[in-house]
Each structure stands twice: as C-alpha cells, then as structure tokens.
Amino acid sequence: QDLSTNRPGQAAREKAVELKRAAPVKTFIARALNVHTDERGFRVGADGEEEVGRRLRALGEGWHVIHAVPVGEKDSDIDHVVIGRPGVFTLNTKNHSKSKVWVAEHSFMVNRQKKEYLRNSRFEAERASKLLSAACGFDVSVEPIIVVMAAELTIKAQPTDVHVVGRKRISKWLSKRPPALTPERVEEIYGFARRDSTWRPGARPSG
C-alpha cells in the first residue's frame, strides 16, 4: 500500500466515525453535554491533524509529507512523517485549542496538568528511526516534533531532544532548518517511507 495518498487525520477520523456509528445516541448526548469521550478525543485529534496538514502544504519543492502512518500491528499511527533536506521528522499534533500549554526542558503541561507527550514523541521518533533504517539499509536519524494548537502556548525552555512548535510556525520552522541530507538521499528515504511494509515489517510488501 502506498501511504503517500493518506489524508491528514485519516486514522483518527475513521476511528471517531466508527465510535459514533457504534453508539449514535450516546455520542449525541455526550456532544450536547460537552462530555469528554473517546469519540471526542479522536474527533478533536483529527481536527488538529487536518489543520497541521494544511499548514504543511506551504513546504516547498524537495519536501515530502506522509500523513497518518500506521505503525506495528495495533491501531497506533504517526500523525505526520516529514522528509526533506533538513532531515526526517515525526510530527505529533496536539490539539488543545481551548487550553493553556506550558513547556519546559522536562515538562509539558496542559492547564497545569502534566502530560507524557515528550516521552511519547521520543519513543515515536526512535521507533521510526529503527524501522526506516532497517528498510533503507543505512542509518536514518529521525527528530521528534510536537506541533501544538493552544489558546496560549508558553515555551519556557525547549526540551533538549524534542522540538515543540506552534502550528502556525511549523512550515517556516522546518524550512529554516539547515540541510542534512542530499536530494538523492531524501528521495531514497521517501521511497521506503511511503511503503506500508516499512512500518509493518510483518506485512507482505505491496507491489
């Protein structure tokens, strides 16, 4: 399967629709009462990924973006994988558009509640690096980015190994990164990254 045709937020949107169909009345009532449910979580997540996907369209020639990349045998996926001259990045979108987000070197807080986003993003990038390296046959370094949608974003200090970027700045931030890969290497990595068999090694290669 060619993952390059995936839509932003595709996996989260499909999950939200599935949950709504399974319990339409419950979903209607929960929405009316603004109750936090799994359906709401996937729906809001999909909204965020779609917004970031639109922002990433501003990237110029030489960039490749793959959305909703399924990883492993379970239902987990990477929101966006971005490949360009500056390198390879996994983007984890966090939609907290009505909340205050505060970030420090070792902390990520949403309305004063600590979230494990930094740890999860590190793991996501490390996993992506291992899978891409195995598929490509050479080491592929992957940097994690958390793209934040928030009513108020305060970055007291950037974490040392995870980039935290506001959604409005993401394309410009990526474009300003220094080159790390040749154009040929970018295309080579993209060729493997767009294959579902790269991310699910147990699956039969397509084509």
Side-chain angles (χ1 to χ4, degrees), residues 32-91:
L33 299 176
N34 197 29
V35 176
H36 288 213
T37 62
D38 288 342
E39 185 274 338
R40 180 186 184 278
F42 283 111
R43 177 165 44 86
V44 170
D47 290 343
E49 291 178 48
E50 289 168 358
E51 166 69 12
V52 171
R54 287 191 289 270
R55 300 279 178 180
L56 292 172
R57 292 177 191 168
L59 291 172
E61 185 178 351
W63 286 92
H64 297 288
V65 182
I66 307 173
H67 307 288
V69 177
V71 184
E73 300 304 317
K74 298 182 180 180
D75 291 333
S76 60
D77 75 307
I78 301 173
D79 296 345
H80 317 274
V81 174
V82 179
I83 307 166
R85 291 290 306 281
V88 182
F89 305 87
T90 50
L91 275 59

Side-chain angles (χ1 to χ4, degrees), residues 59-175:
L59 291 172
E61 185 178 351
W63 286 92
H64 297 288
V65 182
I66 307 173
H67 307 288
V69 177
V71 184
E73 300 304 317
K74 298 182 180 180
D75 291 333
S76 60
D77 75 307
I78 301 173
D79 296 345
H80 317 274
V81 174
V82 179
I83 307 166
R85 291 290 306 281
V88 182
F89 305 87
T90 50
L91 275 59
N92 192 339
T93 297
K94 294 301 177 186
N95 187 357
H96 296 290
S97 56
K98 297 181 180 180
S99 304
K100 294 182 179 181
V101 173
W102 185 89
V103 180
E105 187 174 357
H106 302 291
S107 299
F108 194 111
M109 311 281 284
V110 178
N111 289 339
R112 299 185 179 181
Q113 293 186 342
K114 187 172 182 179
K115 303 292 184 179
E116 297 297 333
Y117 296 161
L118 298 178
R119 182 194 66 184
N120 296 344
S121 293
R122 289 188 195 100
F123 172 79
E124 186 172 78
E126 289 169 1
R127 189 181 191 185
S129 176
K130 290 177 182 178
L131 292 171
L132 285 171
S133 297
C136 294
F138 53 81
D139 289 338
V140 179
S141 178
V142 179
E143 297 183 52
I145 303 175
I146 300 175
V147 186
V148 181
M149 300 175 67
E152 182 180 317
L153 173 60
T154 301
I155 302 178
K156 184 176 180 181
Q158 278 283 354
T160 55
D161 52 356
V162 179
H163 308 289
V164 179
V165 184
R167 74 182 187 280
K168 293 181 179 180
R169 297 183 55 244
I170 185 59
S171 291
K172 186 175 291 186
W173 185 92
L174 285 165
S175 297

